[in-house]
């Protein structure tokens, strides 16, 4: 029962697309001050990347702070790396658009709640260890993927989402909610991917069953090349 509850916690982060700041504002001035603090910074950039914040467009070259609610975009032949306050790292490939929907981390007890909405493109998350009950969620238009401490890649375009696990384990569930939380029934249907496995949601033959499979090494190598900054 405890393990099942833990998996559900990962997928339950129910802040809607871009709605994290509004939810925090309702919690009072202390939470609002926390929301005004940066959740990380751009540690490396190549090509053309920017973020949208409060109606402003900010060019990214490295060193810029990022906040919950920021929408980060990379253009063709561009890459970006974001270091988060909990020690996690996000690598963005070209033609990628991602919103930092929510991020709350307590260094005292290592508890974390994080959600990122990937509208298009390629994203690698290398997530730091956190306390039990913490969450780290990547949502697309048709999928939710969640973990605690691992290295994984999410690639999405139009109605197709692929998840690849390099290290650790990741829960993945199909979602028709579009950047929102899953119902309890859908949480129970989440599949567990182990290192070396992948799954693609949104491109299945009629009658096929959605299940983990061994990652295609050639495809995975191409995705890694699309994220390389070093």
């Amino acid at each position: 029962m405890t393990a099942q509850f833990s998996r559900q916690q990962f997928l339950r982060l129910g802040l809607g697309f871009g709605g994290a700041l509004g939810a925090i504002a309702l919690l009072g001035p202390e939470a609002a001050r926390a929301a005004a603090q940066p959740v990380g910074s751009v540690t490396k950039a190549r090509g053309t990347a920017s973020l949208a914040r409060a109606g402003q467009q900010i060019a990214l070259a490295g060193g810029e702070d990022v906040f919950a609610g920021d929408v980060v975009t990379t253009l063709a032949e561009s890459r970006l790396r974001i270091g988060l306050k909990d020690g996690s790292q996000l690598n963005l490939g070209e033609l990628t658009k991602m919103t930092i929907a929510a991020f709350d981390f307590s260094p005292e007890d290592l508890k974390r709640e994080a959600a990122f909405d990937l509208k298009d493109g390629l994203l690698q998350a290398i997530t730091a260890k956190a306390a039990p009950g913490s969450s780290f969620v990547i949502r697309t238009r048709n999928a939710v993927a969640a973990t605690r401490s691992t290295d994984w890649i999410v690639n999405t375009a139009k109605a197709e989402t692929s998840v690849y696990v390099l290290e650790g384990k990741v829960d993945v569930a199909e979602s028709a909610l579009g950047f929102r939380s899953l119902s309890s029934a859908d949480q129970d249907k989440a599949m567990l991917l182990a290192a070396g496995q992948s799954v693609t949601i949104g491109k299945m033959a009629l009658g096929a069953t959605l299940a983990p499979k061994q990652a295609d090494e050639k495809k995975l190598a191409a995705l890694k090349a699309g994220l390389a900054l070093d």
Side-chain angles (χ1 to χ4, degrees), residues 91-112:
N91 295 321
L92 282 69
E94 67 173 352
L95 302 173
T96 296
K97 187 171 186 178
M98 178 202 74
T99 296
I100 304 173
F103 189 90
D104 183 33
F105 175 67
S106 171
E108 291 79 14
D109 56 14
L110 298 181
K111 288 187 177 179
R112 173 186 64 211

Side-chain angles (χ1 to χ4, degrees), residues 21 28-29 35 55 68 92 111 113 115 122 132 136 145 165 183 188 204 218:
L21 295 181
L92 282 69
K111 288 187 177 179
E113 286 192 355
L122 179 61
F136 195 106
V165 180
S183 67
D188 292 339
M204 294 174 58
K218 186 176 292 188

Side-chain angles (χ1 to χ4, degrees), residues 31-40 65-68 85 103:
R33 282 194 297 272
Q37 298 298 315
V39 302
D65 287 334
V66 296
F67 296 78
K85 290 292 187 182
F103 189 90

